[in-house]
Amino acid sequence: MVTNNRGVSPAGPARIYAHIVGWGMAVPDQIMTNDDLALLVDTTDEWITQRTGIKQRRIAGETETTATLGLKAARRALDVADIMPETIDMVVVATSTPDHIFPSTASLIQAGLAANRAGAFDLSAACSGWVYAVQMAAQAIQSGAIKTAVVIGAETMSRVLDWQDRGTCILFGDGAGAVVLQGSPNPGGVLSAVLRSDGTGGDVLGIPSVGTIDYVGDDVGLPELNGHKFSKMHMNGGETFKFATRVIGESVTQALEMANLTIRDVKLIIPHQANLRIINAAARSLKVDEGLFMCNLDKYGNTSAASIPIALVEAVEQGRLKQGDPVVFVGFGGGLTWASMVVRWGAPMPEAGAFKKQRRALTYSWARFRSRFARWTRQFNQTVNRVRPEQGRIERLRHRIDRKLP
Ligand code: ACO
């Protein structure tokens, strides 16, 4: 699917642009270094560093999930945007590691935010997922259908890794990044996007899960499981590498053309953080300096759908983006899928208000209480309903005994 957002106009005469007005990230505290990994599988810090650029990654603690990390990142993004949760129309979570098949991780986060007017859904496009999700939200905003969306990329890859497979477990980490997208008459924001898929490469990397059977379907089946473990990630690293280096240059160039820009206009490229060698190859294919690419995979490894928004947050914190700068996001991964997007950075920032911050904190406490109360009430009613028929039976027995009926 190729879409050019510059041509989209809302129902009214004024065009609406979808701007990123808030951003936030959350990673677990627990750090796993390459040396820690060398205690688990036959590998070394030197091999991992040279072949990938990764030095360490974050691993979720026992009580951390994709939803808890995503919620933290989203709340931080709301703080930056300084908006109240009730103004959110849509919550989208790009993830390959949802806490449940359903409820969606987005619904859990929607409840935690107390975004009571919002629709919520998860989006599955592996490491390209966050760019896909931003485009879905941006188009809804540009069409005038909604005003504000929270788009999150969140993963707990550590829960789907085969910790005996040194070809995959060294690459991934856990984390979440989020942005708030908002409609504005000021030109800029999301300018163009190229979203692509090639399902013939569905066997290159994946996670066999609920519903996977060891059967080759007629039209859409994958090759048989080939010994891959259920709920554990498998990957053909070499094929993924070749695919990634091919599609990054192509799709970035296409997205720039659609935005009437060239690579020389771009101030920063934020790629999916998979492997430093892939990023360097992409720089060569686009004939640009490697410094044009934001890179933080040494600290977090590959956090799949979360990697681009996490890198975006760190780029903003490092002052690498200024108002009006064209920035490019490019993701690639399982599916196979890939996606490039051009954004003109910077909508007028709201004044951060302490009062709203306190109101948000109160709203979150209320949301926590409301969820617990709702669950407690349902449990209570179930227990009462279980007891009631029993009481009825005993009443009837007593009645019969009183009337000396058989
Ligand atoms: N430590 C030490 N040796 C290793 C390790 C390891 N962790 N892993 C593999 N090796 C060995 C192999 O067994 C092989 O040994 P051999 O020559 O004796 O057979 C040798 O190292 C070379 O193996 P390759 O697989 O050819 O290594 P390569 O240089 O291709 O690097 C890697 C492997 C890092 C996985 C690389 O292919 C890669 O990064 N691919 C892209 C992965 C990626 O980006 N995935 C994410 C996509 S996004 C998503 O949707 C999830």
Side-chain angles (χ1 to χ4, degrees):
M1 178 168 60
V2 176
T3 47
N4 185 343
N5 296 338
R6 288 174 298 119
V8 178
S9 62
R15 275 183 59 181
I16 303 172
Y17 298 84
H19 284 272
I20 294 176
V21 297
W23 46 87
M25 62 175 272
V27 288
D29 291 336
Q30 198 165 232
I31 293 173
M32 182 185 263
T33 64
N34 292 346
D35 286 332
D36 294 333
L37 265 169
L39 300 172
L40 291 179
V41 286
D42 183 14
T43 191
T44 60
D45 173 43
E46 193 191 1
W47 193 96
I48 301 172
T49 308
Q50 277 181 4
R51 300 290 180 116
T52 70
I54 299 165
K55 297 294 290 178
Q56 61 178 48
R57 67 285 294 142
R58 302 298 181 103
I59 302 293
E62 270 174 27
T63 57
E64 277 170 319
T65 69
T66 299
T68 66
L69 291 168
L71 178 60
K72 265 191 197 167
R75 284 179 176 173
R76 285 173 187 159
L78 256 62
D79 279 344
V80 173
D82 199 28
I83 59 162
M84 293 304 294
E86 62 265 22
T87 62
I88 300 167
D89 300 301
M90 183 193 272
V91 178
V92 195
V93 177
T95 185
S96 303
T97 51
D99 293 359
H100 309 268
I101 299 299
F102 64 84
S104 70
T105 306
S107 284
L108 300 177
I109 293 176
Q110 170 270 319
L113 287 174
N116 299 329
R117 285 183 47 250
F121 63 97
D122 288 357
L123 187 149
S124 166
C127 304
S128 321
W130 184 79
V131 183
Y132 268 69
V134 171
Q135 173 67 346
M136 295 301 108
Q139 286 187 318
I141 290 170
Q142 289 156 345
S143 74
I146 65 166
K147 181 130 197 288
T148 306
V150 177
V151 182
I152 302 158
E155 304 279 12
T156 39
M157 296 303 289
S158 62
R159 304 233 159 90
V160 295
L161 291 176
D162 178 353
W163 288 99
Q164 291 165 344
D165 175 14
R166 67 178 182 172
T168 51
C169 75
I170 57 145
L171 296 171
F172 295 91
D174 302 334
V179 292
V180 176
L181 280 168
Q182 211 164 41
S184 157
N186 299 328
V190 177
L191 301 181
S192 66
V194 175
L195 311 183
R196 286 285 164 87
S197 170
D198 175 8
T200 62
D203 56 320
V204 172
L205 68 168
I207 306 173
S209 189
V210 182
T212 308
I213 53 170
D214 203 349
Y215 163 75
V216 188
D218 293 338
D219 295 324
V220 291
L222 287 179
E224 58 271 9
L225 279 166
N226 281 332
H228 299 316
K229 297 177 188 167
F230 279 101
S231 302
K232 294 293 167 208
M233 180 164 175
H234 65 85
M235 180 181 73
N236 179 333
E239 284 299 321
T240 310
F241 197 98
K242 276 189 270 174
F243 145 72
T245 47
R246 180 172 54 82
V247 297
I248 295 176
E250 272 173 28
S251 64
V252 167
T253 307
Q254 200 179 352
L256 283 168
E257 277 169 16
M258 289 163 60
N260 281 336
L261 295 169
T262 72
I263 192 72
R264 280 177 297 285
D265 299 310
V266 175
K267 291 293 180 288
L268 190 66
I269 300 177
I270 305 184
H272 170 45
Q273 307 285 307
N275 185 320
L276 189 57
R277 290 190 297 140
I278 292 178
I279 295 175
N280 291 345
R284 283 195 297 278
S285 100
L286 286 164
K287 298 187 176 57
V288 294
D289 190 80
E290 287 158 12
L292 190 64
F293 283 77
M294 176 68 197
C295 198
N296 64 357
L297 54 77
D298 54 325
K299 292 192 285 183
Y300 306 116
N302 179 345
T303 54
S304 193
S307 87
I308 298 176
I310 288 176
L312 170 65
V313 172
E314 294 209 332
V316 177
E317 284 170 2
Q318 291 166 16
R320 294 189 67 175
L321 280 173
K322 310 246 169 342
Q323 180 115 2
D325 282 353
V327 54
V328 174
F329 304 130
V330 53
F332 52 86
L336 299 167
T337 57
W338 62 103
S340 282
M341 171 174 278
V342 182
V343 170
R344 193 174 287 285
W345 186 254
M349 287 298 298
E351 299 276 314
F355 175 63
K356 268 199 192 164
K357 199 168 177 173
Q358 277 167 1
R359 262 184 65 202
R360 271 193 299 275
L362 272 175
T363 309
Y364 299 149
S365 303
W366 167 240
R368 198 173 304 126
F369 170 78
R370 221 175 60 125
S371 285
R372 283 189 187 160
F373 185 73
R375 275 171 210 146
W376 180 83
T377 309
R378 273 190 295 275
Q379 270 168 12
F380 178 78
N381 286 340
Q382 272 167 12
T383 314
V384 167
N385 287 338
R386 263 199 302 275
V387 167
R388 258 192 207 138
E390 185 66 3
Q391 275 177 344
R393 195 172 63 85
I394 291 167
E395 288 293 313
R396 280 194 301 278
L397 277 175
R398 192 170 287 151
H399 182 68
R400 284 173 167 213
I401 291 164
D402 285 347
R403 293 176 61 198
K404 302 205 171 33
L405 291 171

